[in-house]
Amino acid sequence: MATSHARRIRIAPSLLAADFARLRDEVAAIEAAGADWLHLDIMDGHFVPNISFGPLVLAALRKHTKLPFDVHLMISPVDPYIAAFAKAGADHISLHPEAGPHLHRSLQLIRSLGKQAGVVLNPATPIETVGWALDLVDIILVMSVNPGFGGQAFLPSQLPKIAALRGMIDASGRAISLAVDGGITPATATGVIEAGADTLIAGSAVFGKPDYASAISALRAA
Ligand code: DX5
Ligand code: ZN
């Protein structure tokens, strides 16, 4: 049994799979069901081939929940919008290195706004991309699908990458969260946790189920 089982696994349901006609109730329900973070996918129809929602929706939901807002920006250029998401109530702001020319500068900007900074690695993006910025990073998010849509199949090719990042984080001595996003189900979560992840982001496997609390427990039990 891997030592990674000793970690407390955080569950971050992705609002992308919620009923958009009832967002306020969905957020209240997911908080009551025991979610740790609320994952918010921001898509611009340019960096990724889909459009979701923006800071106005965050600001509207912010007063209805105490859950940390874990914001995943899939927009390019990204820098001009970071302050707007911070103001709208983001607690964590994560971005893709491909979304701007200066990853280090973007991370500095997020931290200057008092928010946790995250780097998101696409399936083909090497872990070395984040290596020289680790001192500014609070969260590393591994995409286990190509970003843009919920409900896609998990890519097992990302498991050794998660393990390599676990080694990189442990060697850094920093408290960096290692999250995985895309195709997470109770079946795929086991391998992800054994590889060293501590945070599971799940859309369909939580909001797509009738009972959110049991869906969250099923992931936590993986
Ligand atoms: C995809 C998003 C994910 C998505 C996950 O671009 O980053 O957060 O909502 O959805 P599932 O869990 O259904 O794969
Ligand atoms: Zn996401």
Side-chain angles (χ1 to χ4, degrees):
M1 179 165 300
T3 52
S4 52
H5 277 139
R7 290 188 189 96
R8 186 189 177 271
I9 302 303
R10 266 185 232 101
I11 308 294
S14 169
L15 195 68
L16 194 65
D19 179 350
F20 277 25
R22 301 173 43 251
L23 284 183
R24 175 179 170 172
D25 298 341
E26 291 279 68
V27 168
I30 216 69
E31 183 168 17
D36 296 294
W37 300 347
L38 183 68
H39 184 81
L40 298 129
D41 289 301
I42 313 301
M43 305 177 177
D44 66 354
H46 166 75
F47 183 72
V48 290
N50 197 5
I51 300 176
S52 59
F53 52 84
L56 289 175
V57 172
L58 263 76
L61 292 173
R62 184 63 286 184
K63 48 189 166 301
H64 299 295
T65 177
K66 291 190 167 53
L67 286 176
F69 277 8
D70 180 55
V71 176
H72 175 189
L73 297 179
M74 288 163 269
I75 62 177
S76 174
V78 63
D79 289 351
Y81 300 97
I82 288 173
F85 284 98
K87 190 168 175 230
D91 296 284
H92 317 148
I93 300 180
S94 298
L95 49 80
H96 289 250
E98 297 87 352
H102 301 287
L103 175 62
H104 194 279
R105 177 176 283 144
S106 303
L107 296 171
Q108 284 178 320
L109 173 58
I110 295 168
R111 295 184 137 240
S112 76
L113 296 165
K115 307 303 176 184
Q116 290 196 31
V119 176
V120 190
L121 302 178
N122 275 334
T125 303
I127 69 169
E128 288 74 19
T129 306
V130 69
W132 291 103
L134 277 192
D135 58 321
L136 294 176
V137 171
D138 300 293
I139 300 162
I140 299 176
L141 201 166
V142 175
M143 288 307 304
S144 40
V145 298
N146 280 300
F149 301 94
Q152 303 180 79
F154 178 81
L155 298 170
S157 61
Q158 300 307 297
L159 290 171
K161 186 168 160 185
I162 296 163
L165 282 163
R166 171 47 60 200
M168 186 190 270
I169 290 169
D170 288 352
S172 79
R174 285 178 42 76
I176 297 173
S177 302
L178 181 53
V180 181
D181 186 9
I184 297 294
T185 64
T188 59
T190 308
V192 163
I193 292 164
E194 279 178 0
D198 52 42
T199 304
L200 302 176
I201 294 160
S204 338
V206 179
F207 281 109
K209 302 288 174 190
D211 180 347
Y212 298 166
S214 61
I216 288 173
S217 326
L219 289 173
R220 231 190 267 289

